[in-house]
Every structure is written in C-alpha cells, then in structure tokens.
Amino acid sequence: MASNTMAGLVAGSHARNEMHVLHGEQRPPTRQSLAKLCRVCGDEVGVRADGELFVACHECGFPVCKPCYEYERSEGNQSCPQCNTRYKRHKGCARVTGDDEGSLDGDDFNDEFQIKNTRDQQNVFAPSENGDYNPQRWHPNGPAFSAAGSVAGKDLEGEKDMYNNDEWKDRVEKWKTRQEKKGLVSKDGGNDPGDDDEFLLAEARQPLWRKVPIPSSKISPYRIVIILRLVILAFFFRFRILTPAYDAFPLWLISVICEIWFAFSWILDQFPKWQPINRETYLERLSMRFEREGEPDRLSPVDVFVSTVDPLKEPPIITANTVLSILALDYPVQKVSCYVSDDGASMLLFDSLAETAEFARRWVPFCKKHTVEPRAPEFYFSQKIDYLKDKVDPSFVKERRAMKREYEEFKVRINALVAKAQKKPEEGWTMQDGTPWPGNNTRDHPGMIQVYLGSEGALDVEGKELPRLVYVSREKRPGYQHHKKAGAMNALVRVSAVLTNAPFMLNLDCDHYINNSKAVREAMCFLMDPQLGKKLCYVQFPQRFDGIDRHDRYANRNVVFFDINMKGLDGIQGPVYVGTGCVFNRQALYGYDPPVSEKRPKMTCDCWPSWCSCCCGGSRKSKSKKKVHRGFLGGLYSKKKKMMGKNYSRKGSAPVFDLEEIEEGLEGYDELEKSSLMSQKNFEKRFGQSPVFITSTLMEDGGLPEGTNSTALIKEAIHVISCGYEEKTEWGKEIGWIYGSVTEDILTGFKMHCRGWRSIYCVPKRAAFKGSAPINLSDRLHQVLRWALGSVEIFLSRHCPLWYGYGGKLKWLERLAYINTIVYPFTSIPLLAYCTIPAVCLLTGKFIIPTLTNFASIWFMALFLSIIVTGVLELRWSGVSIQDWWRNEQFWVIGGVSAHLFAVFQGLLKVLFGVDTNFTVTSKAADDAEFGELYLFKWTTLLIPPTTLIILNMVGVVAGVSDAINNGYASWGPLFGKLFFAFWVIVHLYPFLKGLMGRQNRTPTIVVLWSILLASIFSLVWVRIDPFLPKQTGPVLKQCGVEC
C-alpha cells in the first residue's frame, strides 16, 4: 500500500519538467538496517538449510531467529509478535497443537499460503448474482456466512486453542450472560460444551451497528405539538392580517411580513427534525469479523487529511498534537496514512513536522502500551482526572513522568522554531544544507512532498512500524485560481490516491485532534457493512470543543445543531457535511453514483392482449432504449463491475458525466479494450492527465497498481499537485470538494446527496474529535460571518437547493434542510426590523397590535405556549440542557442582527459587482490565563447593529415609562405589551452587552445594566414628584388673564 520513504524533501513543477531532492535527513534506523538481527533476543536471524535468510512470518517478514520461533510455537501464543498471524510450521520443525494435519512441507509452503489466501478472500462476503450478499454461500473450511458476516468453524478452533479450558469457558459464559440480558438466548437452554462455537458464530452474525429510534412516548407528543403549532399559526395570521392597526399601519405591515418570514423559517428548520434517530455500534463484532486470530486483519485502509494555512495563526504545537493523535490511532499501523497540507508553504510547519515525527517514535508506543486517552499529549497531560485509574502496570507512573518530561522538551523545541519564524530573513529561509527554502514566495513556489514516516521508514523505540506521515504543499503560481481550502483538499485527494489510495479518507482541521482512538473503527462499523456500506458517501461525527467557558456565552458548542438538527437529518438521508470530523468514501468524492442493485422485472400476465401491455406492463422498448443511451464512463464502469463479479452498475447521471454516448455492445475483452482506448480522452477530461491517478479511481477497494515504484509514484504525485492540473477537468465542479463557496463543506455534501448517496451520523459515547473554538465575541462573529457568507454564495449560484437537482435522488425533507442552510442569513433583515419595532413603538406611543379581545388574546397565549412546549419536548428527546438551548436562542438574535446581516450584503456585492471579501483564519491559540481570550475586546463593524439596537431599546424603555408616568394610570395598560417586546430584545442581546463590557472583576454586568435602567426611571419619577417643592393646600391659584 505504500511506497518507499524518500531521502529528503522533493520539490518540483510538472509544467517546468523539474523535480529536485533538496536535502537529506538523518533518519532513525530502518527495517533494512535491523533485518539481520532478531527483534526478540537480539541475536542474528540466521539462514535456512538452503542458504536463504530464515523468515518466520511470511506475512510481514518480522525478523525472528529460529530458536525464538520454535519457542514461540511451543511455549508462547504461536503468533507473530507484529502482525499476530499464526506461525506456520516450517520444514524440519516439530508439530504443535493447532497445526493443520495436511500442512505441506517447507518447500511448498509459500505457494500453499498464497493459494489459501486467495481462496479465502474470494469467499468472504461473496456476492450473489443479483448483487446482494448471499447468506447461503459456503466457506470451504466451515459453516456458511450470513449476510452480516461470521467466522468459520476452523477459525474458531484456532481461536479456542489460544486459551486454556478455564479461560475459554469464562469467555463463553460472559457471552451467554450478555445474550441472556438481550433476550437472545434463553436461560433454560442447553449447556452442551459443543455449543460454544455456535454461540460465537451467532455473535459474529450480529450486525455491526443498529438504529435506536426515539421512544414513542417522547417523539409522539413532540410531533403532535408541531401539528398543533401549525394550526395555531394559521389562526394567528388570520387575526393579524384581518385586524390591522390603522394608526400605525407601516409598523403593522412590517411586523406582519417579518412574522410570516419567521414562520417560513421555522417550518424549514422544524420538519427535517420529524424523525430523529440514534445509532450505536459494536466494535467487538467488527474485530471478530475482520481481525480474526491467526489471520491478517482485513480492515480497510484510511488516509487522514489535515489542512493548515498559516502556522502563526494556527500554532504548530496544535497541529503537532493533531498529528500525534492520528499516528497513535487504535488501528493497524499499515492501514493508516496521515497527509498534512501546508497551503502557506511554511518552513516552520515543515520543521515542526520533522520534530513531531521524532517525538512520535516514543509517544505512540507509550499510548498503545497503556491505552491512554486522549492521545494528543497536550490534552492528555492537562486532564484533571485520576490518571492512575484502571492502570495496573507498575511501570506506568515512571513512564508517564518520563514521557511528560520529554513532551515538555518537545514543546520547547517547537516554541523555539516559532520564535525563530517571527522575523523572516531578507534573503529568505534556508534549509539545513544551505539550500533556499522553495516556499519563500508563498504565491509562487513548486509543489513539495516529504515522507517522514512510513512502511519502510522510521521505526518507534520498540522497533515497530509507525503510520505514514506525509508533508504536502501544492504548487502555486501567479495567474492561477487556487480555490483556498477546497483546492488544497482536492490536491490531498490526488496525492493520497497516487501514494496509498486508501478507499476511505478522514478529514480533520489542524485544531481538531482525535479524542477517541477508536473513532475510525466506529466509522468502519458503517462503511464496512456489507449491505449499507457501499451506499454511504461519508460518516459525520459531531464537533466537540475544548477551552470553552462553562456558561458557553456565545453558543460556541453548537449543541442544538449537533444534538438535535443532525440527529433529525440522520433519520432522512443523512447529516450535512460540516467540514471536519468526517470519514469519506473515496468513490463518492470521485463523482460516481451509488451502486444500485438491479430490480427484478415485474410479473406480467400473457393472457392480456399485446396492446394492453403499454398501459399495464409498461413499454419494454422504451426501457431498452434508456439502457442503450448512457454515459460512456458509466457503461465502462458497469462492465468492469460485472467482470469483478458484482452485478450492479454506477449509472452516470446526465449532469454529472455528460460524455460521449455509445451503443451498448461490449461483449468480451477485445471490445472492452477498444472502448478503453476510445475513452482515454474522456477519463483525462474528467480526472486530469495522470494515468496512475485514473487507474486508482477504478480500484474501488483501494491499493496501488502492480509494478509501481517509489520514484515513479513521487514524480506522479508532484504532477497531480501542479497548479495547472485541474484545468479543463471536472475537479471542483463534479469531483472532489466543490468550488464556488467559502463553505465548500455544505456544497460538497449537497452534491453527493443529490446523486443518491446517503450519509450517517455517528455519536460515540466518548467524543471522537475535539477542537478549539473562538471564545471572544469578535472572533466568534467573524467565524459566523464566514459561514453565512458561504450560504449566501450558494444561494446565488446554480447549486442553490431551491432549483438544483430536482431530477436526482434528493429526498424532500433533506432538500428542506439544505434550503434552510442557505436562506437563514436572509432572516437577518426581518429580524433587525422586528427588533427595532419595540423601540419605535415606545418612542412614538404607537403599537403594532390594536386592542385585543378576549378571543384574540387566546391565539397569542396559545402561540407562546406552543413555542415553549415545542422547545421543552425537543429538549426531552434530545437530552440537550435548557441552558444550551437558551444560549442558542440568544446567539441566534446576536448573530442574526450582525454577522448574518453583513454576510447578505457582502454576498450581493461579490456576486453582482465582483467585490471579493477575504476569508480571515480564526485564531486557534488562547491566552495563557484560563478563558483569558473570552474577555478580549476587539472592535469590529459587526458590533454596530446590535449595539445600536440595545441603545434604542433601552432609551425606548426609559421614554415609555416616562410617558406613562406623565399621562397617568390609564397609559400603563398599553405600555406592558411594548415593554414585553423591548425586554425580549434586551434579554436576547444580553450576552452581547456582556461581551462589550469586557472583564468585570468587581461589578457584575447585570448590576450595571439594571442600575442604568433603574436610575433613569427613578430620575424621571423623582422629577415628576418634585419632593423638594412646597405643596399648596387649597384652591389652585392661576394668573388672571385678559378676561378676568
């Protein structure tokens, strides 16, 4: 799966036909240098009788001498220490329990092993003729496989041999207990020891995941209240429209328009949450199915992408922690590759990754030995928990103390690099050998690739392999459009396809570390499911954050979105892609349609006349014609699938492929070769002019083409990241991350769902990933501004969900959800107007609602009650706290009248007048003090609208109370309605006001706020009463006028 490790940084440009290895590095000892020594005892491995080097394990070639091999077979667990493959008997070695009776001699061992592996792989989950997995397909060595998979009887015998009788009985008894609790096995069942294998077979046949619907006692009342709220809204609008306020007609008209928009926005947000679901996975079954004892693991490889732009705004120590958590994943090391995209061509990040690779040689074995969580050292050592809990290894305390000391030294080295990078030399940066850094000009530099760790690269301190770590900086030249993050991600897709080509890809931001080392296994429970997996485009995990204050003042956690909206979408067609924490199916990113099993033809009756078939049975000719005319790539791909034994096809939809059409007549390999030659231009037009990459796109299960070498692959990798590679191709249009918006995540997921792919929302008990979020007000508003601007760009593009993809396979409720994601910024305009109306009413004495009758007031009360009950029931089934819900409501108003409003106007300026707005990277570093950045005040124009609203409403409250005091008790009744709406605005903007006032060590903000209000009101009352003026008792004397 991997190519050889390079001796240095490779930089080159395909257009200029240049490729240079700039410098060499001192590497830790490689496998070749240690291959002659036994990794167990340190002695020489020795040779066989025929003079060849003794190889104990033919799977991984782990160097073990013959005495250690024989001792392991007779006294140990009979398996290779590295890959856990069961040792086979060599010629001249004694037999042990568990050896095959018919095992061949050593001379024929290699051939026999290869044949057996091929036969086993062909029989695992073998498809039936109709494209489904056939539960009746027999394994040559044991019982039948179910559709969900199982283990063979022979494999169970080998597993049973690994335990003594007591351990085996304990394991089976524990399994029986679990099954009895689930009600799958009766307690009165037989206790025949011969049934042990059947129990484990039943366990393996169980699915890897299950859907957990919300209990009807919670979801049914929720749906009833939603329907009632719709009815109440209808009567409410009937009253509002039929009873205008003639004395304040403009205010009434504006308020009614705003309320209608709010109702429309609520419908878009509410109905995609109609059928929320939960899911749970079974990691033990995944291991039992794909990691059997004595066999090589069959888990699918994963390429992990980490993207970064500016290491001064995204500190290298944060990126290093993310990379270290990836390298320490609980996943086979040969199946993990980490690609770091440096879109700023920074030598600081390049040197930081070199230090990270060196530190990983000690950090990764420590994590795996002691199973620590999380596996990002900065966050592991900062945990305020009992780190000795469940740790029984006496050496743990000593090793943890030593590892913490080494990490502090590692941080010192990284911080030294950061300090050095603060001031760039006039002549530019130079590398270790004096060569100028190729990325000194960040806008004009060649593509760069450096492999730090890998299949044959540096080993850890225990002599074991580490996952591959690759530094990638794509080529940039003036005059080319590079498409920011989306272009960088597409470059990583192509580089990884050339170097490793894993079938699945995990996408992470540089500040999102892996908090759960089994996160990839959680995703594989869905992606490797034999029935559902092929139809999934991605598995999305929720975003969780560190470093946020307990009160979460600005709703940084987005709990309502991730725990309510996303679970609702999971019950329809799947969650939207949110930009990070997502495991992709590579085939879905290539623009292919999901596989569709061919349906059985409908039953027809021959007794009907032939002319009746057009009405009852349909036209067969029309179907055949549709089958003849289709995109060439779809036809070629389906032919390829049939040759592989899978009878489903990827039918290219017209908007996706739109290539040359040919007649269906591919019969035999000769015709296929002709068609392949004819289609070469079509492939290049779609994927670019890289034969290696094009070949990789047709390898659904991943892997590299045979006969490739490291030099050719590196040269091809430099080619696919060249700045002109995407010209005249479909990259960014139909393939990979889609261009056209700064929020490329929403657009990319939307295109996949339009093709018919489905996504899954996975919420493990331990959060899979954690990241950092901007916690001060200004940075938070700028982050929301970028998201809203991307939504406006999509709304004004051809990919708008309002009119795009109606001939596809997007479900209607899913379309409503996508419409909501692109129209929500426009809610800022009616929201701003609605928040201004209370102040205007208080200042003018007018009101948007005429005098209420008793019957009309019922609808107002019913509407407010339905809003409250809907929220309460939503919190009940989702488990979200009322504090998180209220913070979300508050920030909906704060962001709506500031960031969303600016996004609308910036989007219109960009589309109509071409005025582009630059995307500012949100700072990932926090202050040294805990939550110190929370109180950091940065003035920005986004603060003007909400500040104005607060002042207007506060002045309005003072003016309204003053007017009521002057006019007597009769004016207090109408005042209460106006005050209610004004206080509604002030309460929602309270966190914003708190952010404006900054850190208040002595006086709470609420005290200051109420002090101002009460002082103003009391002053007016004081003036009205005039206590210091003498009061006259008796008749009021007036000045006599002319008519006296």
Side-chain angles (χ1 to χ4, degrees):
M1 129 179 198
S3 61
N4 296 333
T5 303
M6 296 177 296
L9 174 70
V10 176
S13 173
H14 179 75
R16 303 182 182 185
N17 197 22
E18 298 175 353
M19 190 173 78
H20 306 284
V21 179
L22 298 182
H23 77 291
E25 281 189 58
Q26 293 294 330
R27 297 301 182 88
T30 60
R31 170 177 291 166
Q32 287 84 350
S33 61
L34 300 177
K36 296 181 181 179
L37 297 180
C38 175
R39 298 284 181 82
V40 178
C41 64
D43 295 337
E44 292 187 3
V45 172
V47 296
R48 296 186 303 185
D50 57 1
E52 295 292 333
L53 184 69
F54 178 79
V55 180
C57 177
H58 286 263
E59 276 297 318
C60 64
F62 187 72
V64 175
C65 62
K66 190 171 183 180
C68 291
Y69 160 79
E70 293 178 344
Y71 177 83
E72 183 71 19
R73 278 174 45 82
S74 59
E75 304 293 338
N77 60 9
Q78 304 177 2
S79 300
C80 174
Q82 176 164 284
C83 66
N84 291 326
T85 304
R86 182 180 175 83
Y87 277 140
K88 298 294 182 178
R89 186 177 68 86
H90 286 259
K91 185 177 182 180
C93 296
R95 290 185 181 274
V96 296
T97 304
D99 283 343
D100 295 341
E101 294 297 332
S103 61
L104 303 180
D105 291 337
D107 296 338
D108 299 328
F109 173 74
N110 292 333
D111 294 339
E112 185 270 337
F113 186 75
Q114 295 173 2
I115 293 172
K116 184 180 183 298
N117 270 352
T118 304
R119 185 173 65 246
D120 289 346
Q121 292 174 2
Q122 291 174 351
N123 282 274
V124 175
F125 305 121
S128 61
E129 293 182 358
N130 61 0
D132 296 328
Y133 290 90
N134 190 349
Q136 303 301 325
R137 183 66 60 94
W138 287 90
H139 190 279
N141 294 330
F145 279 82
S146 68
S150 64
V151 294
K154 185 173 180 179
D155 299 322
L156 282 174
E157 290 296 334
E159 184 179 2
K160 185 174 179 179
D161 291 337
M162 307 299 293
Y163 302 89
N164 57 42
N165 291 333
D166 294 336
E167 291 175 345
W168 181 258
K169 290 179 179 178
D170 291 341
R171 185 179 182 193
V172 173
E173 288 300 324
K174 290 180 181 179
W175 182 89
K176 289 180 181 179
T177 304
R178 291 198 306 269
Q179 297 300 310
E180 288 174 358
K181 290 181 179 179
K182 298 176 183 178
L184 301 177
V185 177
S186 63
K187 295 183 179 180
D188 298 333
N191 294 324
D192 185 4
D195 295 338
D196 294 348
D197 293 347
E198 294 183 7
F199 283 128
L200 289 181
L201 278 172
E203 176 75 9
R205 289 192 182 100
Q206 298 297 321
L208 300 176
W209 62 274
R210 77 182 183 99
K211 185 187 299 183
V212 184
I214 306 297
S216 59
S217 60
K218 295 181 179 181
I219 199 64
S220 296
Y222 176 66
R223 292 171 178 167
I224 293 172
V225 170
I226 291 174
I227 300 300
L228 289 177
R229 186 170 170 181
L230 278 175
V231 175
I232 293 171
L233 273 175
F235 283 98
F236 172 79
F237 282 122
R238 179 180 179 274
F239 166 77
R240 292 284 284 124
I241 294 172
L242 296 180
T243 56
Y246 292 104
D247 59 337
F249 191 81
L251 292 178
W252 169 83
L253 182 62
I254 293 174
S255 66
V256 170
I257 294 174
C258 293
E259 289 164 358
I260 292 175
W261 179 266
F262 294 152
F264 170 71
S265 178
W266 171 75
I267 290 173
L268 292 180
D269 179 70
Q270 187 66 66
F271 278 91
K273 297 183 286 189
W274 184 261
Q275 191 177 2
I277 60 170
N278 295 314
R279 299 180 191 270
E280 64 180 29
T281 56
Y282 303 100
L283 301 182
E284 294 180 357
R285 296 172 185 173
L286 181 74
S287 298
M288 183 177 294
R289 188 177 302 179
F290 297 106
E291 294 180 296
R292 301 176 192 161
E293 299 286 349
E295 288 187 8
D297 67 83
R298 294 184 291 110
L299 290 173
S300 295
V302 178
D303 291 336
V304 186
F305 298 160
V306 179
S307 58
T308 180
V309 180
D310 187 352
L312 296 179
K313 292 184 178 180
E314 300 167 326
I317 191 63
I318 294 180
T319 306
N321 272 271
T322 300
V323 171
L324 288 170
S325 67
I326 295 170
L327 299 179
L329 268 172
D330 183 7
Y331 209 73
V333 293
Q334 70 275 14
K335 301 293 183 71
V336 178
S337 299
C338 177
Y339 292 84
V340 180
S341 170
D342 179 14
D343 224 28
S346 170
M347 187 173 172
L348 171 59
L349 181 61
F350 178 80
D351 291 338
S352 299
L353 283 182
E355 292 286 352
T356 304
E358 179 62 26
F359 178 71
R361 299 180 58 238
R362 296 178 291 278
W363 172 251
V364 173
F366 170 77
C367 292
K368 295 188 175 181
K369 179 179 180 181
H370 300 291
T371 61
V372 300
E373 295 285 358
R375 298 188 176 181
E378 180 70 25
F379 303 95
Y380 169 68
F381 290 122
S382 63
Q383 289 182 116
K384 298 179 181 179
I385 60 173
D386 182 12
Y387 63 85
L388 294 178
K389 186 179 180 181
D390 300 329
K391 297 294 185 294
V392 296
D393 192 339
S395 65
F396 171 69
V397 176
K398 181 179 178 181
E399 293 183 11
R400 185 185 187 276
R401 189 180 299 117
M403 184 55 61
K404 186 174 183 180
R405 183 172 58 252
E406 290 188 14
Y407 176 65
E408 294 298 330
E409 296 173 355
F410 167 71
K411 287 176 64 176
V412 169
R413 294 194 296 271
I414 295 295
N415 291 333
L417 292 174
V418 175
K420 179 182 176 182
Q422 296 296 326
K423 187 176 181 181
K424 184 177 180 180
E426 295 182 0
E427 64 277 6
W429 301 109
T430 56
M431 304 179 73
Q432 295 177 358
D433 59 352
T435 307
W437 171 246
N440 278 324
N441 187 346
T442 57
R443 298 183 179 181
D444 187 3
H445 64 83
M448 295 178 282
I449 295 177
Q450 168 76 59
V451 180
Y452 292 98
L453 306 171
S455 179
E456 297 181 1
L459 307 173
D460 63 23
V461 292
E462 296 181 358
K464 296 181 180 179
E465 289 182 10
L466 290 169
R468 168 175 294 238
L469 176 60
V470 185
Y471 169 87
V472 179
S473 181
R474 56 181 174 146
E475 181 184 17
K476 288 190 175 181
R477 302 295 181 190
Y480 287 91
Q481 179 62 259
H482 300 294
H483 302 290
K484 300 180 181 178
K485 180 182 176 180
M489 297 306 299
N490 285 336
L492 286 183
V493 171
R494 296 191 294 270
V495 168
S496 62
V498 171
L499 296 181
T500 50
N501 195 32
F504 303 113
M505 301 172 291
L506 169 60
N507 157 230
L508 291 176
D509 286 344
C510 67
D511 62 323
H512 274 70
Y513 67 91
I514 297 179
N515 184 63
N516 183 350
S517 62
K518 298 183 183 295
V520 174
R521 292 178 179 268
E522 297 274 357
M524 289 303 144
C525 287
F526 300 102
L527 293 169
M528 297 189 70
D529 183 270
Q531 296 178 351
L532 179 67
K534 297 296 182 182
K535 300 177 182 179
L536 294 182
C537 54
Y538 57 81
V539 174
Q540 177 67 61
F541 291 86
Q543 292 186 21
R544 307 300 185 200
F545 300 98
D546 285 320
I548 298 177
D549 65 304
R550 180 170 55 89
H551 301 290
D552 193 13
R553 183 185 299 173
Y554 307 120
N556 284 280
R557 293 190 178 94
N558 284 329
V559 177
V560 172
F561 173 75
F562 286 111
D563 289 355
I564 297 180
N565 294 68
M566 295 287 270
K567 289 182 179 179
L569 291 177
D570 198 19
I572 307 171
Q573 196 174 345
V576 298
Y577 168 44
V578 296
T580 184
C582 186
V583 183
F584 281 96
N585 182 346
R586 188 182 286 268
Q587 294 294 316
L589 276 175
Y590 287 158
Y592 291 123
D593 286 357
V596 180
S597 301
E598 294 184 2
K599 297 181 180 180
R600 295 176 56 185
K602 295 182 179 180
M603 300 298 293
T604 58
C605 181
D606 295 336
C607 60
W608 289 96
S610 59
W611 55 268
C612 220
S613 61
C614 61
C615 301
C616 303
S619 175
R620 298 181 181 178
K621 292 184 179 180
S622 62
K623 290 183 180 180
S624 63
K625 288 181 180 180
K626 289 181 181 178
K627 197 172 182 180
V628 167
H629 297 289
R630 58 181 174 181
F632 173 77
L633 188 57
L636 179 61
Y637 202 91
S638 63
K639 192 71 178 179
K640 167 182 167 286
K641 289 291 182 184
K642 291 178 182 178
M643 292 181 180
M644 295 173 62
K646 298 182 179 181
N647 200 18
Y648 58 76
S649 61
R650 296 184 183 273
K651 300 178 181 179
S653 58
V656 176
F657 295 104
D658 195 22
L659 301 175
E660 300 177 5
E661 296 183 348
I662 62 171
E663 294 184 358
E664 186 179 44
L666 299 177
E667 298 178 359
Y669 288 8
D670 294 338
E671 291 295 329
L672 182 60
E673 290 179 4
K674 290 180 182 180
S675 301
S676 299
L677 293 174
M678 293 170 57
S679 68
Q680 185 65 29
K681 292 184 179 180
N682 293 331
F683 276 106
E684 292 178 354
K685 178 181 178 181
R686 181 169 174 79
F687 294 109
Q689 297 182 356
S690 172
V692 175
F693 177 76
I694 291 175
T695 303
S696 71
T697 63
L698 299 177
M699 303 175 69
E700 186 179 1
D701 295 327
L704 297 177
E706 296 181 1
T708 55
N709 59 75
S710 61
T711 304
L713 291 180
I714 293 300
K715 184 176 181 181
E716 198 66 25
I718 292 293
H719 172 34
V720 298
I721 61 173
S722 59
C723 55
Y725 182 83
E726 294 183 356
E727 287 189 344
K728 299 180 180 180
T729 67
E730 295 187 8
W731 283 101
K733 302 172 185 176
E734 303 293 341
I735 301 175
W737 271 256
I738 306 301
Y739 304 149
S741 171
V742 294
T743 52
E744 68 289 328
D745 45 7
I746 296 293
L747 199 53
T748 302
F750 174 63
K751 294 278 286 187
M752 293 182 185
H753 283 137
C754 285
R755 295 190 187 103
W757 290 95
R758 151 160 208 101
S759 57
I760 290 292
Y761 193 52
C762 181
V763 188
K765 294 181 180 179
R766 180 181 177 86
F769 311 100
K770 282 190 176 182
S772 60
I775 61 175
N776 70 69
L777 179 60
S778 302
D779 287 345
R780 172 67 167 149
L781 289 178
H782 276 287
Q783 182 188 55
V784 175
L785 171 65
R786 187 179 74 88
W787 295 343
L789 178 60
S791 296
V792 174
E793 289 174 344
I794 297 174
F795 178 82
L796 299 174
S797 70
R798 71 182 185 91
H799 291 118
C800 178
L802 285 169
W803 49 73
Y804 181 83
Y806 273 96
K809 303 173 183 178
L810 187 68
K811 295 185 178 180
W812 279 99
L813 286 180
E814 192 81 9
R815 183 178 295 277
L816 283 182
Y818 274 109
I819 291 174
N820 186 44
T821 61
I822 58 102
V823 302
Y824 78 88
F826 295 94
T827 306
S828 60
I829 298 175
L831 183 61
L832 180 66
Y834 208 72
C835 290
T836 308
I837 288 176
V840 176
C841 291
L842 286 168
L843 292 172
T844 60
K846 309 292 184 182
F847 198 42
I848 58 175
I849 301 174
T851 304
L852 290 175
T853 63
N854 292 334
F855 182 74
S857 61
I858 293 177
W859 296 117
F860 279 87
M861 295 297 296
L863 180 61
F864 284 112
L865 285 176
S866 66
I867 293 174
I868 294 172
V869 174
T870 303
V872 170
L873 293 177
E874 202 166 66
L875 301 183
R876 184 167 173 256
W877 66 255
S878 65
V880 175
S881 68
I882 190 170
Q883 181 182 8
D884 290 326
W885 178 83
W886 174 238
R887 291 302 187 198
N888 181 78
E889 293 295 313
Q890 287 179 313
F891 195 78
W892 175 74
V893 177
I894 295 172
V897 298
S898 57
H900 297 172
L901 183 67
F902 278 74
V904 171
F905 291 106
Q906 286 187 10
L908 292 174
L909 288 174
K910 182 176 181 180
V911 173
L912 299 180
F913 303 103
V915 179
D916 197 1
T917 53
N918 291 326
F919 150 52
T920 302
V921 179
T922 307
S923 177
K924 310 298 183 185
D927 196 0
D928 292 337
E930 186 176 14
F931 311 129
E933 196 182 355
L934 174 64
Y935 306 101
L936 184 62
F937 179 77
K938 303 175 185 177
W939 177 255
T940 173
T941 53
L942 297 177
L943 303 178
I944 295 176
T947 305
T948 305
L949 283 177
I950 287 181
I951 295 173
L952 275 177
N953 281 275
M954 292 178 67
V955 171
V957 169
V958 174
V961 174
S962 171
D963 183 69
I965 292 174
N966 289 327
N967 294 331
Y969 294 103
S971 61
W972 283 97
L975 178 65
F976 284 123
K978 303 173 188 177
L979 288 178
F980 174 81
F981 286 108
F983 278 113
W984 179 89
V985 176
I986 294 174
V987 168
H988 277 78
L989 292 176
Y990 171 70
F992 174 83
L993 182 62
K994 197 175 182 69
L996 280 181
M997 302 189 71
R999 185 190 294 271
Q1000 298 292 324
N1001 290 327
R1002 286 180 263 185
T1003 307
T1005 309
I1006 189 67
V1007 174
V1008 176
L1009 172 63
W1010 283 107
S1011 297
I1012 295 173
L1013 279 174
L1014 293 177
S1016 302
I1017 295 173
F1018 184 74
S1019 300
L1020 294 170
V1021 174
W1022 188 275
V1023 172
R1024 175 65 179 169
I1025 296 174
D1026 295 333
F1028 295 106
L1029 295 178
K1031 299 297 180 182
Q1032 297 180 353
T1033 59
V1036 178
L1037 299 178
K1038 296 183 179 180
Q1039 186 176 359
C1040 186
V1042 178
E1043 300 177 356
C1044 183

